[in-house]
Amino acid sequence: MQKQNKMWSYVLFSLVILSISLICHRIYNEPISLIDKPNESYDYIIVGAGTAGCVLASRLSENANSTVLLVEAGGQFNWFSTVPLAAPVLFNSHVDWAFKTEPQWYSSKGLHDHRQKWPRGKGLGGSGQLNFLAHSFGKAEDFTKWPGGWSFFDLQPYFKKVSAIMNVRKISSDDELANAVIGAGEKFKKEGANFIPASDTLNDGSRWSSFNAYLQRAWNRENLHILTNTLVTKIVMGTNSKIEGIEIKYENGSRGKVIAKNEVILSGGTINSPQLLMVSGIGPSMELKKHNITIVKEILGVGQNLFDHLNMPLYVFLEAPFTITIKKIQSISTLLQYFIFGTGLLTTNGIKAVGRKNNSGFMIFAGASTDEKLLKDIGNYRTEVFRSLYPTYNNTSQEGLLMLTSCYQPKSRGNITLKSDNILDPPAIDPSYLEHDDDIKCSQEGVKLALKIVESEEFRKLGAKLHVPNLKNCPPSNNNYWDDNFSECVIRIGGIASYHPGGTCKMGTGSDAVVDTKLRVKGIKGLRIVDGSVFPSPISGHPNSVIIALAERAADFIIDKRN
């Protein structure tokens, strides 16, 4: 009995020490920048702690004489978001804005109500905590559509800086799938096609976003305040077309106001930034009048020029054991590799290679077995369409890969409009996928490029076999992706959003532009927009790294008082 009491004393003592350690760890490691209530005023107020907002908060607070407030509607992501392959599990959770598009006329016919789901990160790091960490700076030709001073050459210094800070790396040269794609692509180079290993922004097997690379290195600065779980409800205009500050709503429902001495910078993203402008009275007068919003400044381009890539997934079965399966992910050995040694499948994003020709291309994801319950809901697919497109819906061990084909420079343009004058009501999102006929032809070229790789000798050696869906609305006699009628039918039914939206606060010099070439909102002093909404046209690839470069350059504009 005495021994038992002694043992329990040791256990109790250990628990007390552990509890104290955890409390001390939390107290002494809690960033000093995180606050509950803001000061009355700051030099700079940044709205949104996403990819761009994290960069700006870090860069602008480098000057100890400048005070910076970063306001974020969400809180902090948990450790699960650091696992590269875990991104889909976070969709539709409390860290996701969980937007949906309006019903689409020209696409999304295999989805419930013809609506695409658009996950957007809500919390410190934003969508950089939900994405698949794929890296791209696009190609030089993309930027010929951007205004003067924003060429690929102009951005090179920022691209180099971002590459270093974000730990950009290419897939290992000994990766079997990447080598198979590159080897197979050699014979198509003379046709103008280009095949390269995929690049990502992982760091030691964990997610590495602008939150990690920028915000965390700055969030113990006394001149930086970070206000989480707080929604910006309105931009407040002062006198002489100068921004006064912002109105905010705290998590408990109370409201407040914060003054901006120099600038308010919107970094809410392609959806939230134009919505906030419009509910604040800045946007097309017709749209504002519809919701009885007082017009502060008419800017016709707010919410217009919306674009996104639409992916067409092609499933390829393999015999070679080089891919990621559900069974492998759930195995004890995989879990031990990750949690003990920081190695294995869970330290990758699964993206292996990229192929491009002109404005079309594909990306290879090394996984074919799927979780029907999770992925069907993420894509908003109807059951019969999902099962036809994703044949491994009930097979957790099937080796294979997914080729996500796409048109990288779509011509279709949609818009974001208001459903009410309340910032709490999600806006109407209409990307108008495939409205322009050229986007079908462009998408089909991406499919054909992928087919050439699948049919190559290199892929035959891996036992590659393309799956062709049997969709009741697509003629079975033409059940062949090389047939344009069949491929168009499948693309319009099964094409899925790539989550690369941009363009709704267009940068430029024309009448349709919202911001000038220094990202200042036209006709308003002290208001800037720095996020993907200012992109005049799409990037041929994943836009996240370009957004970071854009934010770096914007910080230089702001720090240089002449801009």
Side-chain angles (χ1 to χ4, degrees), residues 340-382:
I340 297 178
F341 303 107
T343 60
L345 292 178
L346 292 177
T347 64
T348 73
N349 64 359
I351 301 172
K352 298 296 184 178
V354 176
R356 293 177 183 166
K357 182 181 178 183
N358 299 323
N359 291 326
S360 310
F362 64 84
M363 175 187 76
I364 285 187
F365 177 77
S369 65
T370 55
D371 183 317
E372 179 178 16
K373 187 176 186 304
L374 174 66
L375 296 182
K376 185 176 70 174
D377 183 57
I378 287 173
N380 203 34
Y381 280 112
R382 298 201 310 267

mmCIF file of all heavy atoms in Angstrom, residues 340-382:
data_model
loop_
_atom_site.group_PDB
_atom_site.id
_atom_site.type_symbol
_atom_site.label_atom_id
_atom_site.label_comp_id
_atom_site.label_asym_id
_atom_site.label_seq_id
_atom_site.Cartn_x
_atom_site.Cartn_y
_atom_site.Cartn_z
ATOM 1 N N ILE A 340 8.020 10.255 -36.030
ATOM 2 C CA ILE A 340 9.285 10.000 -35.322
ATOM 3 C C ILE A 340 10.485 10.540 -36.084
ATOM 4 O O ILE A 340 11.352 11.202 -35.508
ATOM 5 C CB ILE A 340 9.463 8.485 -35.048
ATOM 6 C CG1 ILE A 340 8.350 7.997 -34.115
ATOM 7 C CG2 ILE A 340 10.831 8.205 -34.431
ATOM 8 C CD1 ILE A 340 8.394 6.514 -33.825
ATOM 9 N N PHE A 341 10.506 10.293 -37.398
ATOM 10 C CA PHE A 341 11.693 10.657 -38.173
ATOM 11 C C PHE A 341 11.478 11.851 -39.110
ATOM 12 O O PHE A 341 12.430 12.362 -39.691
ATOM 13 C CB PHE A 341 12.174 9.455 -39.002
ATOM 14 C CG PHE A 341 12.469 8.240 -38.168
ATOM 15 C CD1 PHE A 341 11.619 7.143 -38.189
ATOM 16 C CD2 PHE A 341 13.589 8.196 -37.346
ATOM 17 C CE1 PHE A 341 11.874 6.021 -37.418
ATOM 18 C CE2 PHE A 341 13.857 7.077 -36.574
ATOM 19 C CZ PHE A 341 13.000 5.987 -36.605
ATOM 20 N N GLY A 342 10.223 12.282 -39.279
ATOM 21 C CA GLY A 342 9.954 13.397 -40.188
ATOM 22 C C GLY A 342 10.224 13.052 -41.631
ATOM 23 O O GLY A 342 10.653 13.901 -42.421
ATOM 24 N N THR A 343 9.964 11.799 -42.011
ATOM 25 C CA THR A 343 10.203 11.345 -43.382
ATOM 26 C C THR A 343 8.952 10.631 -43.898
ATOM 27 O O THR A 343 7.951 10.517 -43.205
ATOM 28 C CB THR A 343 11.392 10.369 -43.429
ATOM 29 O OG1 THR A 343 11.097 9.229 -42.590
ATOM 30 C CG2 THR A 343 12.670 11.031 -42.939
ATOM 31 N N GLY A 344 9.025 10.174 -45.143
ATOM 32 C CA GLY A 344 7.952 9.359 -45.700
ATOM 33 C C GLY A 344 6.938 10.132 -46.521
ATOM 34 O O GLY A 344 7.104 11.324 -46.817
ATOM 35 N N LEU A 345 5.863 9.441 -46.891
ATOM 36 C CA LEU A 345 4.855 9.990 -47.793
ATOM 37 C C LEU A 345 4.209 11.267 -47.267
ATOM 38 O O LEU A 345 3.879 12.163 -48.040
ATOM 39 C CB LEU A 345 3.762 8.947 -48.053
ATOM 40 C CG LEU A 345 4.154 7.702 -48.855
ATOM 41 C CD1 LEU A 345 2.960 6.769 -48.968
ATOM 42 C CD2 LEU A 345 4.656 8.090 -50.238
ATOM 43 N N LEU A 346 4.007 11.357 -45.962
ATOM 44 C CA LEU A 346 3.308 12.515 -45.401
ATOM 45 C C LEU A 346 4.135 13.800 -45.453
ATOM 46 O O LEU A 346 3.620 14.877 -45.160
ATOM 47 C CB LEU A 346 2.885 12.225 -43.955
ATOM 48 C CG LEU A 346 1.803 11.154 -43.777
ATOM 49 C CD1 LEU A 346 1.520 10.909 -42.308
ATOM 50 C CD2 LEU A 346 0.519 11.548 -44.504
ATOM 51 N N THR A 347 5.387 13.691 -45.819
ATOM 52 C CA THR A 347 6.242 14.886 -45.935
ATOM 53 C C THR A 347 6.256 15.425 -47.358
ATOM 54 O O THR A 347 7.041 16.323 -47.670
ATOM 55 C CB THR A 347 7.685 14.567 -45.507
ATOM 56 O OG1 THR A 347 8.239 13.594 -46.405
ATOM 57 C CG2 THR A 347 7.740 14.032 -44.090
ATOM 58 N N THR A 348 5.411 14.893 -48.230
ATOM 59 C CA THR A 348 5.355 15.353 -49.615
ATOM 60 C C THR A 348 3.979 15.925 -49.917
ATOM 61 O O THR A 348 3.021 15.699 -49.180
ATOM 62 C CB THR A 348 5.629 14.190 -50.597
ATOM 63 O OG1 THR A 348 4.473 13.319 -50.605
ATOM 64 C CG2 THR A 348 6.846 13.393 -50.177
ATOM 65 N N ASN A 349 3.889 16.649 -51.032
ATOM 66 C CA ASN A 349 2.574 17.116 -51.483
ATOM 67 C C ASN A 349 2.040 16.259 -52.619
ATOM 68 O O ASN A 349 0.938 16.505 -53.115
ATOM 69 C CB ASN A 349 2.616 18.593 -51.889
ATOM 70 C CG ASN A 349 3.510 18.851 -53.093
ATOM 71 O OD1 ASN A 349 4.136 17.935 -53.632
ATOM 72 N ND2 ASN A 349 3.594 20.095 -53.514
ATOM 73 N N GLY A 350 2.823 15.287 -53.067
ATOM 74 C CA GLY A 350 2.369 14.349 -54.086
ATOM 75 C C GLY A 350 2.464 14.850 -55.511
ATOM 76 O O GLY A 350 2.202 14.096 -56.450
ATOM 77 N N ILE A 351 2.842 16.102 -55.713
ATOM 78 C CA ILE A 351 2.916 16.668 -57.068
ATOM 79 C C ILE A 351 4.311 16.403 -57.636
ATOM 80 O O ILE A 351 5.315 16.782 -57.025
ATOM 81 C CB ILE A 351 2.601 18.166 -57.058
ATOM 82 C CG1 ILE A 351 1.204 18.397 -56.480
ATOM 83 C CG2 ILE A 351 2.687 18.744 -58.469
ATOM 84 C CD1 ILE A 351 0.857 19.846 -56.246
ATOM 85 N N LYS A 352 4.363 15.773 -58.805
ATOM 86 C CA LYS A 352 5.637 15.262 -59.320
ATOM 87 C C LYS A 352 6.201 16.021 -60.518
ATOM 88 O O LYS A 352 7.403 16.220 -60.614
ATOM 89 C CB LYS A 352 5.468 13.785 -59.717
ATOM 90 C CG LYS A 352 5.086 12.873 -58.558
ATOM 91 C CD LYS A 352 6.188 12.821 -57.515
ATOM 92 C CE LYS A 352 5.869 11.844 -56.400
ATOM 93 N NZ LYS A 352 6.958 11.751 -55.413
ATOM 94 N N ALA A 353 5.355 16.393 -61.455
ATOM 95 C CA ALA A 353 5.877 17.000 -62.688
ATOM 96 C C ALA A 353 4.822 17.867 -63.341
ATOM 97 O O ALA A 353 3.620 17.754 -63.057
ATOM 98 C CB ALA A 353 6.349 15.911 -63.651
ATOM 99 N N VAL A 354 5.290 18.730 -64.245
ATOM 100 C CA VAL A 354 4.416 19.660 -64.964
ATOM 101 C C VAL A 354 4.767 19.605 -66.444
ATOM 102 O O VAL A 354 5.950 19.546 -66.810
ATOM 103 C CB VAL A 354 4.596 21.101 -64.450
ATOM 104 C CG1 VAL A 354 3.765 22.075 -65.267
ATOM 105 C CG2 VAL A 354 4.228 21.187 -62.972
ATOM 106 N N GLY A 355 3.760 19.601 -67.289
ATOM 107 C CA GLY A 355 3.971 19.665 -68.733
ATOM 108 C C GLY A 355 3.198 20.835 -69.319
ATOM 109 O O GLY A 355 2.057 21.105 -68.903
ATOM 110 N N ARG A 356 3.819 21.535 -70.264
ATOM 111 C CA ARG A 356 3.168 22.698 -70.852
ATOM 112 C C ARG A 356 3.419 22.766 -72.350
ATOM 113 O O ARG A 356 4.482 22.385 -72.829
ATOM 114 C CB ARG A 356 3.697 24.006 -70.235
ATOM 115 C CG ARG A 356 3.348 24.224 -68.785
ATOM 116 C CD ARG A 356 4.001 25.502 -68.289
ATOM 117 N NE ARG A 356 3.743 25.725 -66.880
ATOM 118 C CZ ARG A 356 4.409 26.608 -66.138
ATOM 119 N NH1 ARG A 356 5.373 27.337 -66.686
ATOM 120 N NH2 ARG A 356 4.121 26.763 -64.862
ATOM 121 N N LYS A 357 2.435 23.273 -73.059
ATOM 122 C CA LYS A 357 2.599 23.607 -74.468
ATOM 123 C C LYS A 357 1.721 24.812 -74.737
ATOM 124 O O LYS A 357 0.496 24.736 -74.568
ATOM 125 C CB LYS A 357 2.206 22.444 -75.369
ATOM 126 C CG LYS A 357 2.404 22.748 -76.850
ATOM 127 C CD LYS A 357 1.984 21.579 -77.723
ATOM 128 C CE LYS A 357 2.154 21.936 -79.197
ATOM 129 N NZ LYS A 357 1.676 20.838 -80.079
ATOM 130 N N ASN A 358 2.351 25.913 -75.138
ATOM 131 C CA ASN A 358 1.641 27.175 -75.309
ATOM 132 C C ASN A 358 0.898 27.524 -74.018
ATOM 133 O O ASN A 358 1.519 27.624 -72.982
ATOM 134 C CB ASN A 358 0.705 27.094 -76.525
ATOM 135 C CG ASN A 358 1.459 26.825 -77.811
ATOM 136 O OD1 ASN A 358 2.556 27.335 -77.999
ATOM 137 N ND2 ASN A 358 0.889 26.022 -78.690
ATOM 138 N N ASN A 359 -0.430 27.658 -74.070
ATOM 139 C CA ASN A 359 -1.187 28.037 -72.874
ATOM 140 C C ASN A 359 -1.913 26.863 -72.226
ATOM 141 O O ASN A 359 -2.803 27.054 -71.401
ATOM 142 C CB ASN A 359 -2.205 29.126 -73.226
ATOM 143 C CG ASN A 359 -1.531 30.443 -73.563
ATOM 144 O OD1 ASN A 359 -0.490 30.784 -72.998
ATOM 145 N ND2 ASN A 359 -2.105 31.186 -74.495
ATOM 146 N N SER A 360 -1.537 25.648 -72.610
ATOM 147 C CA SER A 360 -2.184 24.452 -72.079
ATOM 148 C C SER A 360 -1.163 23.597 -71.347
ATOM 149 O O SER A 360 0.037 23.712 -71.577
ATOM 150 C CB SER A 360 -2.806 23.634 -73.221
ATOM 151 O OG SER A 360 -3.604 24.457 -74.053
ATOM 152 N N GLY A 361 -1.663 22.714 -70.479
ATOM 153 C CA GLY A 361 -0.710 21.850 -69.798
ATOM 154 C C GLY A 361 -1.365 20.931 -68.794
ATOM 155 O O GLY A 361 -2.595 20.806 -68.735
ATOM 156 N N PHE A 362 -0.525 20.295 -67.994
ATOM 157 C CA PHE A 362 -1.018 19.383 -66.971
ATOM 158 C C PHE A 362 -0.053 19.330 -65.807
ATOM 159 O O PHE A 362 1.120 19.711 -65.907
ATOM 160 C CB PHE A 362 -1.215 17.962 -67.537
ATOM 161 C CG PHE A 362 0.058 17.298 -67.993
ATOM 162 C CD1 PHE A 362 0.886 16.632 -67.092
ATOM 163 C CD2 PHE A 362 0.438 17.331 -69.328
ATOM 164 C CE1 PHE A 362 2.063 16.034 -67.501
ATOM 165 C CE2 PHE A 362 1.615 16.727 -69.752
ATOM 166 C CZ PHE A 362 2.428 16.076 -68.832
ATOM 167 N N MET A 363 -0.549 18.844 -64.680
ATOM 168 C CA MET A 363 0.242 18.610 -63.482
ATOM 169 C C MET A 363 -0.037 17.181 -63.044
ATOM 170 O O MET A 363 -1.180 16.717 -63.121
ATOM 171 C CB MET A 363 -0.165 19.598 -62.394
ATOM 172 C CG MET A 363 0.488 19.394 -61.046
ATOM 173 S SD MET A 363 -0.224 20.496 -59.801
ATOM 174 C CE MET A 363 -1.790 19.654 -59.489
ATOM 175 N N ILE A 364 0.999 16.473 -62.599
ATOM 176 C CA ILE A 364 0.818 15.090 -62.174
ATOM 177 C C ILE A 364 0.824 14.990 -60.659
ATOM 178 O O ILE A 364 1.774 15.416 -59.999
ATOM 179 C CB ILE A 364 1.918 14.193 -62.765
ATOM 180 C CG1 ILE A 364 1.631 13.953 -64.245
ATOM 181 C CG2 ILE A 364 1.993 12.860 -62.034
ATOM 182 C CD1 ILE A 364 2.538 12.961 -64.906
ATOM 183 N N PHE A 365 -0.264 14.413 -60.139
ATOM 184 C CA PHE A 365 -0.343 14.092 -58.715
ATOM 185 C C PHE A 365 -0.224 12.584 -58.571
ATOM 186 O O PHE A 365 -0.984 11.832 -59.177
ATOM 187 C CB PHE A 365 -1.672 14.576 -58.121
ATOM 188 C CG PHE A 365 -1.849 14.203 -56.674
ATOM 189 C CD1 PHE A 365 -1.187 14.904 -55.680
ATOM 190 C CD2 PHE A 365 -2.659 13.139 -56.305
ATOM 191 C CE1 PHE A 365 -1.329 14.557 -54.340
ATOM 192 C CE2 PHE A 365 -2.819 12.781 -54.970
ATOM 193 C CZ PHE A 365 -2.144 13.496 -53.990
ATOM 194 N N ALA A 366 0.725 12.134 -57.771
ATOM 195 C CA ALA A 366 1.053 10.711 -57.669
ATOM 196 C C ALA A 366 0.114 9.980 -56.723
ATOM 197 O O ALA A 366 0.510 9.508 -55.661
ATOM 198 C CB ALA A 366 2.493 10.529 -57.214
ATOM 199 N N GLY A 367 -1.147 9.899 -57.085
ATOM 200 C CA GLY A 367 -2.103 9.180 -56.263
ATOM 201 C C GLY A 367 -3.373 8.907 -57.028
ATOM 202 O O GLY A 367 -3.883 9.795 -57.714
ATOM 203 N N ALA A 368 -3.891 7.690 -56.952
ATOM 204 C CA ALA A 368 -5.122 7.352 -57.662
ATOM 205 C C ALA A 368 -6.201 6.809 -56.744
ATOM 206 O O ALA A 368 -7.375 6.894 -57.056
ATOM 207 C CB ALA A 368 -4.846 6.330 -58.775
ATOM 208 N N SER A 369 -5.815 6.243 -55.614
ATOM 209 C CA SER A 369 -6.856 5.765 -54.699
ATOM 210 C C SER A 369 -7.460 6.965 -53.983
ATOM 211 O O SER A 369 -6.752 7.906 -53.624
ATOM 212 C CB SER A 369 -6.276 4.772 -53.686
ATOM 213 O OG SER A 369 -5.338 5.387 -52.841
ATOM 214 N N THR A 370 -8.764 6.955 -53.821
ATOM 215 C CA THR A 370 -9.454 8.136 -53.297
ATOM 216 C C THR A 370 -10.384 7.785 -52.148
ATOM 217 O O THR A 370 -10.865 6.669 -52.038
ATOM 218 C CB THR A 370 -10.290 8.812 -54.407
ATOM 219 O OG1 THR A 370 -11.175 7.834 -54.976
ATOM 220 C CG2 THR A 370 -9.418 9.382 -55.496
ATOM 221 N N ASP A 371 -10.633 8.767 -51.326
ATOM 222 C CA ASP A 371 -11.614 8.652 -50.261
ATOM 223 C C ASP A 371 -12.896 9.302 -50.784
ATOM 224 O O ASP A 371 -12.997 10.525 -50.882
ATOM 225 C CB ASP A 371 -11.106 9.368 -49.006
ATOM 226 C CG ASP A 371 -12.051 9.226 -47.825
ATOM 227 O OD1 ASP A 371 -13.272 9.360 -48.031
ATOM 228 O OD2 ASP A 371 -11.567 8.979 -46.702
ATOM 229 N N GLU A 372 -13.874 8.475 -51.139
ATOM 230 C CA GLU A 372 -15.080 9.003 -51.782
ATOM 231 C C GLU A 372 -15.789 10.034 -50.912
ATOM 232 O O GLU A 372 -16.167 11.103 -51.378
ATOM 233 C CB GLU A 372 -16.046 7.871 -52.125
ATOM 234 C CG GLU A 372 -17.325 8.386 -52.780
ATOM 235 C CD GLU A 372 -18.277 7.275 -53.165
ATOM 236 O OE1 GLU A 372 -18.111 6.146 -52.685
ATOM 237 O OE2 GLU A 372 -19.189 7.547 -53.960
ATOM 238 N N LYS A 373 -15.952 9.718 -49.639
ATOM 239 C CA LYS A 373 -16.691 10.621 -48.749
ATOM 240 C C LYS A 373 -16.054 11.997 -48.690
ATOM 241 O O LYS A 373 -16.731 13.017 -48.744
ATOM 242 C CB LYS A 373 -16.760 10.023 -47.343
ATOM 243 C CG LYS A 373 -17.660 10.801 -46.379
ATOM 244 C CD LYS A 373 -17.747 10.104 -45.046
ATOM 245 C CE LYS A 373 -18.751 10.793 -44.117
ATOM 246 N NZ LYS A 373 -18.477 12.202 -43.910
ATOM 247 N N LEU A 374 -14.709 12.036 -48.617
ATOM 248 C CA LEU A 374 -14.000 13.305 -48.497
ATOM 249 C C LEU A 374 -13.965 14.053 -49.828
ATOM 250 O O LEU A 374 -14.390 15.206 -49.928
ATOM 251 C CB LEU A 374 -12.579 13.066 -47.994
ATOM 252 C CG LEU A 374 -11.648 14.284 -47.947
ATOM 253 C CD1 LEU A 374 -12.153 15.281 -46.922
ATOM 254 C CD2 LEU A 374 -10.224 13.858 -47.631
ATOM 255 N N LEU A 375 -13.480 13.395 -50.875
ATOM 256 C CA LEU A 375 -13.218 14.088 -52.135
ATOM 257 C C LEU A 375 -14.487 14.406 -52.923
ATOM 258 O O LEU A 375 -14.541 15.406 -53.627
ATOM 259 C CB LEU A 375 -12.251 13.264 -52.987
ATOM 260 C CG LEU A 375 -10.857 13.088 -52.381
ATOM 261 C CD1 LEU A 375 -9.964 12.299 -53.319
ATOM 262 C CD2 LEU A 375 -10.219 14.440 -52.070
ATOM 263 N N LYS A 376 -15.493 13.559 -52.803
ATOM 264 C CA LYS A 376 -16.753 13.851 -53.495
ATOM 265 C C LYS A 376 -17.376 15.118 -52.932
ATOM 266 O O LYS A 376 -17.891 15.965 -53.666
ATOM 267 C CB LYS A 376 -17.711 12.669 -53.355
ATOM 268 C CG LYS A 376 -19.016 12.828 -54.142
ATOM 269 C CD LYS A 376 -19.886 11.583 -54.050
ATOM 270 C CE LYS A 376 -20.458 11.420 -52.654
ATOM 271 N NZ LYS A 376 -21.414 10.289 -52.584
ATOM 272 N N ASP A 377 -17.295 15.282 -51.620
ATOM 273 C CA ASP A 377 -17.855 16.467 -50.979
ATOM 274 C C ASP A 377 -17.038 17.709 -51.299
ATOM 275 O O ASP A 377 -17.585 18.782 -51.548
ATOM 276 C CB ASP A 377 -17.919 16.250 -49.459
ATOM 277 C CG ASP A 377 -18.571 17.431 -48.747
ATOM 278 O OD1 ASP A 377 -19.718 17.767 -49.091
ATOM 279 O OD2 ASP A 377 -17.931 18.024 -47.866
ATOM 280 N N ILE A 378 -15.702 17.559 -51.300
ATOM 281 C CA ILE A 378 -14.842 18.698 -51.626
ATOM 282 C C ILE A 378 -15.161 19.233 -53.017
ATOM 283 O O ILE A 378 -15.229 20.437 -53.247
ATOM 284 C CB ILE A 378 -13.353 18.289 -51.547
ATOM 285 C CG1 ILE A 378 -12.934 18.109 -50.088
ATOM 286 C CG2 ILE A 378 -12.458 19.327 -52.235
ATOM 287 C CD1 ILE A 378 -11.544 17.546 -49.939
ATOM 288 N N GLY A 379 -15.353 18.321 -53.975
ATOM 289 C CA GLY A 379 -15.621 18.735 -55.351
ATOM 290 C C GLY A 379 -17.081 19.042 -55.624
ATOM 291 O O GLY A 379 -17.412 19.551 -56.695
ATOM 292 N N ASN A 380 -17.975 18.719 -54.677
ATOM 293 C CA ASN A 380 -19.414 18.920 -54.849
ATOM 294 C C ASN A 380 -19.979 18.062 -55.977
ATOM 295 O O ASN A 380 -20.996 18.402 -56.587
ATOM 296 C CB ASN A 380 -19.732 20.407 -55.106
ATOM 297 C CG ASN A 380 -21.170 20.757 -54.743
ATOM 298 O OD1 ASN A 380 -21.736 20.200 -53.806
ATOM 299 N ND2 ASN A 380 -21.755 21.671 -55.494
ATOM 300 N N TYR A 381 -19.307 16.942 -56.269
ATOM 301 C CA TYR A 381 -19.739 16.067 -57.353
ATOM 302 C C TYR A 381 -21.012 15.296 -57.016
ATOM 303 O O TYR A 381 -21.220 14.891 -55.872
ATOM 304 C CB TYR A 381 -18.659 15.018 -57.648
ATOM 305 C CG TYR A 381 -17.504 15.494 -58.492
ATOM 306 C CD1 TYR A 381 -16.232 15.624 -57.951
ATOM 307 C CD2 TYR A 381 -17.674 15.761 -59.857
ATOM 308 C CE1 TYR A 381 -15.158 16.022 -58.728
ATOM 309 C CE2 TYR A 381 -16.605 16.168 -60.634
ATOM 310 C CZ TYR A 381 -15.351 16.294 -60.071
ATOM 311 O OH TYR A 381 -14.286 16.688 -60.831
ATOM 312 N N ARG A 382 -21.828 15.059 -58.038
ATOM 313 C CA ARG A 382 -22.883 14.069 -57.915
ATOM 314 C C ARG A 382 -22.230 12.687 -57.883
ATOM 315 O O ARG A 382 -21.219 12.454 -58.543
ATOM 316 C CB ARG A 382 -23.869 14.166 -59.077
ATOM 317 C CG ARG A 382 -24.591 15.509 -59.160
ATOM 318 C CD ARG A 382 -25.889 15.387 -59.965
ATOM 319 N NE ARG A 382 -25.684 14.723 -61.248
ATOM 320 C CZ ARG A 382 -25.432 15.337 -62.387
ATOM 321 N NH1 ARG A 382 -25.331 16.665 -62.411
ATOM 322 N NH2 ARG A 382 -25.283 14.669 -63.503
#
